[in-house]
Short mmCIF file of all heavy atoms in Angstrom, two decimals:
data_model
loop_
_atom_site.label_atom_id
_atom_site.label_comp_id
_atom_site.label_asym_id
_atom_site.label_seq_id
_atom_site.Cartn_x
_atom_site.Cartn_y
_atom_site.Cartn_z
N ASP A 1 222.33 -143.12 9.46
CA ASP A 1 222.30 -141.82 8.78
C ASP A 1 221.04 -141.78 7.92
O ASP A 1 220.91 -142.55 6.95
CB ASP A 1 223.55 -141.66 7.92
CG ASP A 1 223.64 -140.30 7.24
OD1 ASP A 1 222.62 -139.59 7.14
OD2 ASP A 1 224.74 -139.94 6.79
N LEU A 2 220.10 -140.91 8.26
CA LEU A 2 218.80 -140.89 7.59
C LEU A 2 218.88 -140.41 6.14
O LEU A 2 217.92 -140.58 5.39
CB LEU A 2 217.82 -140.04 8.39
CG LEU A 2 217.47 -140.61 9.77
CD1 LEU A 2 216.61 -139.63 10.55
CD2 LEU A 2 216.79 -141.97 9.65
N LYS A 3 219.99 -139.86 5.75
CA LYS A 3 220.18 -139.51 4.33
C LYS A 3 220.45 -140.75 3.49
O LYS A 3 220.33 -140.72 2.27
CB LYS A 3 221.33 -138.51 4.17
CG LYS A 3 221.10 -137.16 4.83
CD LYS A 3 222.17 -136.15 4.47
CE LYS A 3 223.55 -136.59 4.93
NZ LYS A 3 223.67 -136.65 6.42
N LYS A 4 220.82 -141.85 4.16
CA LYS A 4 221.23 -143.04 3.43
C LYS A 4 220.37 -144.27 3.70
O LYS A 4 220.28 -145.18 2.87
CB LYS A 4 222.70 -143.36 3.78
CG LYS A 4 223.64 -142.21 3.39
CD LYS A 4 225.05 -142.43 3.86
CE LYS A 4 225.94 -141.26 3.46
NZ LYS A 4 227.32 -141.40 3.94
N LEU A 5 219.71 -144.30 4.85
CA LEU A 5 218.87 -145.44 5.22
C LEU A 5 217.68 -144.94 6.03
O LEU A 5 217.80 -143.96 6.76
CB LEU A 5 219.65 -146.45 6.07
CG LEU A 5 220.66 -147.38 5.36
CD1 LEU A 5 221.49 -148.10 6.40
CD2 LEU A 5 219.93 -148.39 4.49
N PRO A 6 216.55 -145.63 5.95
CA PRO A 6 215.40 -145.26 6.79
C PRO A 6 215.62 -145.63 8.25
O PRO A 6 216.42 -146.52 8.57
CB PRO A 6 214.24 -146.04 6.17
CG PRO A 6 214.87 -147.17 5.43
CD PRO A 6 216.21 -146.69 4.97
N ALA A 7 214.88 -144.97 9.12
CA ALA A 7 215.07 -145.11 10.56
C ALA A 7 214.84 -146.52 11.07
O ALA A 7 215.39 -146.92 12.10
CB ALA A 7 214.14 -144.14 11.29
N HIS A 8 213.99 -147.30 10.37
CA HIS A 8 213.64 -148.63 10.92
C HIS A 8 214.82 -149.60 10.92
O HIS A 8 214.72 -150.68 11.52
CB HIS A 8 212.45 -149.22 10.16
CG HIS A 8 212.69 -149.53 8.72
ND1 HIS A 8 213.40 -150.64 8.31
CD2 HIS A 8 212.31 -148.89 7.59
CE1 HIS A 8 213.46 -150.66 6.98
NE2 HIS A 8 212.81 -149.62 6.52
N PHE A 9 215.94 -149.24 10.30
CA PHE A 9 217.12 -150.11 10.38
C PHE A 9 217.79 -150.01 11.75
O PHE A 9 218.51 -150.92 12.16
CB PHE A 9 218.13 -149.75 9.28
CG PHE A 9 217.79 -150.33 7.94
CD1 PHE A 9 216.99 -149.63 7.05
CD2 PHE A 9 218.26 -151.58 7.56
CE1 PHE A 9 216.67 -150.16 5.81
CE2 PHE A 9 217.94 -152.13 6.32
CZ PHE A 9 217.14 -151.42 5.45
N ALA A 10 217.60 -148.91 12.45
CA ALA A 10 218.19 -148.75 13.79
C ALA A 10 217.57 -149.75 14.75
O ALA A 10 216.36 -149.96 14.78
CB ALA A 10 217.98 -147.33 14.28
N GLY A 11 218.43 -150.37 15.54
CA GLY A 11 217.97 -151.36 16.51
C GLY A 11 217.90 -152.78 15.98
O GLY A 11 217.66 -153.72 16.74
N ARG A 12 218.14 -152.94 14.69
CA ARG A 12 218.09 -154.28 14.07
C ARG A 12 219.43 -154.99 14.20
O ARG A 12 220.50 -154.36 14.19
CB ARG A 12 217.72 -154.16 12.59
CG ARG A 12 216.40 -153.46 12.31
CD ARG A 12 215.21 -154.36 12.53
NE ARG A 12 215.25 -155.52 11.64
CZ ARG A 12 214.86 -155.49 10.35
NH1 ARG A 12 214.41 -154.36 9.81
NH2 ARG A 12 214.91 -156.59 9.61
N LYS A 13 219.38 -156.31 14.28
CA LYS A 13 220.62 -157.09 14.29
C LYS A 13 221.20 -157.12 12.88
O LYS A 13 220.48 -157.37 11.90
CB LYS A 13 220.37 -158.51 14.80
CG LYS A 13 221.65 -159.30 15.01
CD LYS A 13 221.40 -160.67 15.64
CE LYS A 13 221.14 -160.56 17.12
NZ LYS A 13 221.13 -161.89 17.77
N TRP A 14 222.48 -156.84 12.76
CA TRP A 14 223.20 -156.84 11.49
C TRP A 14 223.33 -158.29 11.00
O TRP A 14 223.83 -159.15 11.71
CB TRP A 14 224.57 -156.21 11.70
CG TRP A 14 225.42 -155.97 10.51
CD1 TRP A 14 225.24 -155.03 9.54
CD2 TRP A 14 226.63 -156.64 10.17
NE1 TRP A 14 226.27 -155.07 8.62
CE2 TRP A 14 227.14 -156.06 8.99
CE3 TRP A 14 227.35 -157.69 10.76
CZ2 TRP A 14 228.32 -156.48 8.38
CZ3 TRP A 14 228.53 -158.12 10.16
CH2 TRP A 14 229.00 -157.52 8.98
N SER A 15 222.81 -158.57 9.80
CA SER A 15 222.77 -159.94 9.29
C SER A 15 222.80 -159.92 7.77
O SER A 15 222.65 -158.87 7.14
CB SER A 15 221.49 -160.64 9.77
OG SER A 15 220.36 -160.00 9.19
N ARG A 16 222.96 -161.09 7.20
CA ARG A 16 222.93 -161.18 5.73
C ARG A 16 221.57 -160.70 5.19
O ARG A 16 221.51 -160.00 4.18
CB ARG A 16 223.20 -162.62 5.28
CG ARG A 16 224.62 -163.11 5.54
CD ARG A 16 224.81 -164.53 5.04
NE ARG A 16 226.13 -165.05 5.35
CZ ARG A 16 226.45 -165.67 6.49
NH1 ARG A 16 225.52 -165.84 7.43
NH2 ARG A 16 227.68 -166.11 6.69
N ASP A 17 220.49 -161.14 5.85
CA ASP A 17 219.16 -160.75 5.39
C ASP A 17 218.97 -159.24 5.47
O ASP A 17 218.38 -158.63 4.56
CB ASP A 17 218.09 -161.45 6.23
CG ASP A 17 217.99 -162.93 5.93
OD1 ASP A 17 218.52 -163.36 4.88
OD2 ASP A 17 217.38 -163.66 6.74
N LEU A 18 219.46 -158.62 6.54
CA LEU A 18 219.30 -157.18 6.68
C LEU A 18 220.14 -156.44 5.65
O LEU A 18 219.68 -155.47 5.03
CB LEU A 18 219.68 -156.74 8.09
CG LEU A 18 219.31 -155.30 8.44
CD1 LEU A 18 217.79 -155.14 8.48
CD2 LEU A 18 219.92 -154.89 9.77
N ILE A 19 221.38 -156.89 5.44
CA ILE A 19 222.27 -156.26 4.47
C ILE A 19 221.65 -156.32 3.07
O ILE A 19 221.78 -155.38 2.27
CB ILE A 19 223.66 -156.93 4.49
CG1 ILE A 19 224.38 -156.60 5.81
CG2 ILE A 19 224.50 -156.49 3.30
CD1 ILE A 19 225.61 -157.44 6.06
N ALA A 20 220.96 -157.41 2.77
CA ALA A 20 220.32 -157.56 1.45
C ALA A 20 219.25 -156.51 1.21
O ALA A 20 218.89 -156.23 0.05
CB ALA A 20 219.72 -158.95 1.32
N LYS A 21 218.77 -155.88 2.28
CA LYS A 21 217.74 -154.85 2.16
C LYS A 21 218.32 -153.44 2.07
O LYS A 21 217.57 -152.48 1.90
CB LYS A 21 216.78 -154.94 3.36
CG LYS A 21 216.01 -156.25 3.41
CD LYS A 21 215.20 -156.37 4.69
CE LYS A 21 214.52 -157.74 4.77
NZ LYS A 21 213.80 -157.95 6.04
N PHE A 22 219.65 -153.32 2.19
CA PHE A 22 220.28 -152.01 2.04
C PHE A 22 220.09 -151.53 0.60
O PHE A 22 220.17 -152.32 -0.35
CB PHE A 22 221.77 -152.09 2.33
CG PHE A 22 222.14 -152.18 3.79
CD1 PHE A 22 221.20 -152.43 4.76
CD2 PHE A 22 223.46 -152.00 4.18
CE1 PHE A 22 221.54 -152.51 6.11
CE2 PHE A 22 223.82 -152.07 5.52
CZ PHE A 22 222.87 -152.33 6.49
N PRO A 23 219.87 -150.24 0.39
CA PRO A 23 219.74 -149.72 -0.97
C PRO A 23 221.07 -149.79 -1.72
O PRO A 23 222.14 -149.88 -1.09
CB PRO A 23 219.32 -148.26 -0.75
CG PRO A 23 219.74 -147.93 0.63
CD PRO A 23 219.67 -149.20 1.42
N PRO A 24 221.04 -149.77 -3.05
CA PRO A 24 222.27 -149.81 -3.84
C PRO A 24 223.22 -148.68 -3.43
O PRO A 24 222.80 -147.56 -3.15
CB PRO A 24 221.78 -149.61 -5.28
CG PRO A 24 220.36 -150.06 -5.26
CD PRO A 24 219.83 -149.71 -3.90
N GLY A 25 224.51 -149.03 -3.37
CA GLY A 25 225.52 -148.04 -3.03
C GLY A 25 225.74 -147.87 -1.55
O GLY A 25 226.62 -147.11 -1.13
N CYS A 26 224.97 -148.56 -0.73
CA CYS A 26 225.11 -148.46 0.72
C CYS A 26 226.12 -149.50 1.20
O CYS A 26 225.94 -150.70 0.97
CB CYS A 26 223.75 -148.68 1.39
SG CYS A 26 223.72 -148.32 3.15
N ASP A 27 227.19 -149.06 1.82
CA ASP A 27 228.24 -149.98 2.26
C ASP A 27 227.72 -150.88 3.38
O ASP A 27 227.22 -150.38 4.39
CB ASP A 27 229.45 -149.18 2.75
CG ASP A 27 230.67 -150.04 3.03
OD1 ASP A 27 230.60 -150.91 3.92
OD2 ASP A 27 231.69 -149.86 2.36
N PRO A 28 227.83 -152.20 3.24
CA PRO A 28 227.30 -153.11 4.26
C PRO A 28 228.00 -152.99 5.60
O PRO A 28 227.45 -153.36 6.64
CB PRO A 28 227.49 -154.50 3.65
CG PRO A 28 228.55 -154.33 2.62
CD PRO A 28 228.40 -152.94 2.09
N CYS A 29 229.25 -152.47 5.58
CA CYS A 29 229.96 -152.24 6.84
C CYS A 29 229.75 -150.83 7.36
O CYS A 29 230.24 -150.49 8.45
CB CYS A 29 231.46 -152.50 6.64
SG CYS A 29 231.92 -154.24 6.75
N GLY A 30 229.08 -149.99 6.59
CA GLY A 30 228.84 -148.62 7.04
C GLY A 30 230.08 -147.76 7.05
O GLY A 30 230.17 -146.80 7.82
N GLU A 31 231.03 -148.06 6.19
CA GLU A 31 232.31 -147.33 6.20
C GLU A 31 232.13 -145.85 5.88
O GLU A 31 232.92 -145.02 6.31
CB GLU A 31 233.28 -147.99 5.20
CG GLU A 31 234.68 -147.39 5.18
CD GLU A 31 235.54 -147.76 6.38
OE1 GLU A 31 235.01 -148.32 7.36
OE2 GLU A 31 236.74 -147.48 6.34
N ASN A 32 231.09 -145.52 5.14
CA ASN A 32 230.83 -144.12 4.79
C ASN A 32 229.85 -143.46 5.77
O ASN A 32 229.28 -142.41 5.48
CB ASN A 32 230.27 -144.03 3.37
CG ASN A 32 231.26 -144.53 2.35
OD1 ASN A 32 232.36 -144.00 2.21
ND2 ASN A 32 230.89 -145.58 1.62
N GLY A 33 229.65 -144.10 6.91
CA GLY A 33 228.78 -143.52 7.94
C GLY A 33 227.32 -143.91 7.83
O GLY A 33 226.47 -143.37 8.55
N GLU A 34 226.99 -144.85 6.92
CA GLU A 34 225.60 -145.27 6.76
C GLU A 34 225.02 -145.81 8.07
O GLU A 34 223.88 -145.52 8.43
CB GLU A 34 225.49 -146.35 5.69
CG GLU A 34 225.85 -145.90 4.29
CD GLU A 34 227.31 -146.17 3.94
OE1 GLU A 34 228.15 -146.30 4.86
OE2 GLU A 34 227.62 -146.26 2.73
N ILE A 35 225.82 -146.63 8.74
CA ILE A 35 225.40 -147.23 10.01
C ILE A 35 226.57 -147.24 10.99
O ILE A 35 227.73 -147.18 10.59
CB ILE A 35 224.89 -148.69 9.84
CG1 ILE A 35 226.01 -149.58 9.27
CG2 ILE A 35 223.64 -148.75 8.98
CD1 ILE A 35 225.71 -151.08 9.30
N HIS A 36 226.22 -147.32 12.27
CA HIS A 36 227.20 -147.63 13.31
C HIS A 36 226.60 -148.77 14.13
O HIS A 36 225.37 -148.93 14.20
CB HIS A 36 227.48 -146.42 14.18
CG HIS A 36 228.12 -145.29 13.43
ND1 HIS A 36 229.42 -145.31 12.98
CD2 HIS A 36 227.61 -144.10 13.02
CE1 HIS A 36 229.69 -144.18 12.35
NE2 HIS A 36 228.61 -143.44 12.34
#
């Protein structure tokens, strides 16, 4: 969801390192639709 994360997260493998780059308030599981 581009309102919550930049496009370059798409196509990336979900990992601890990637989750650490999520902005504050962004659910690491994407429960609010941040990611699928």
Side-chain angles (χ1 to χ4, degrees):
D1 184 342
L2 294 174
K3 296 189 298 295
K4 300 173 180 178
L5 283 169
H8 65 77
F9 280 90
R12 302 281 299 280
K13 187 175 283 190
W14 187 72
S15 66
R16 292 181 183 88
D17 288 344
L18 191 66
I19 291 167
K21 297 174 184 175
F22 284 12
C26 190
D27 188 297
C29 278
E31 184 74 349
N32 298 299
E34 295 94 337
I35 60 169
H36 297 288

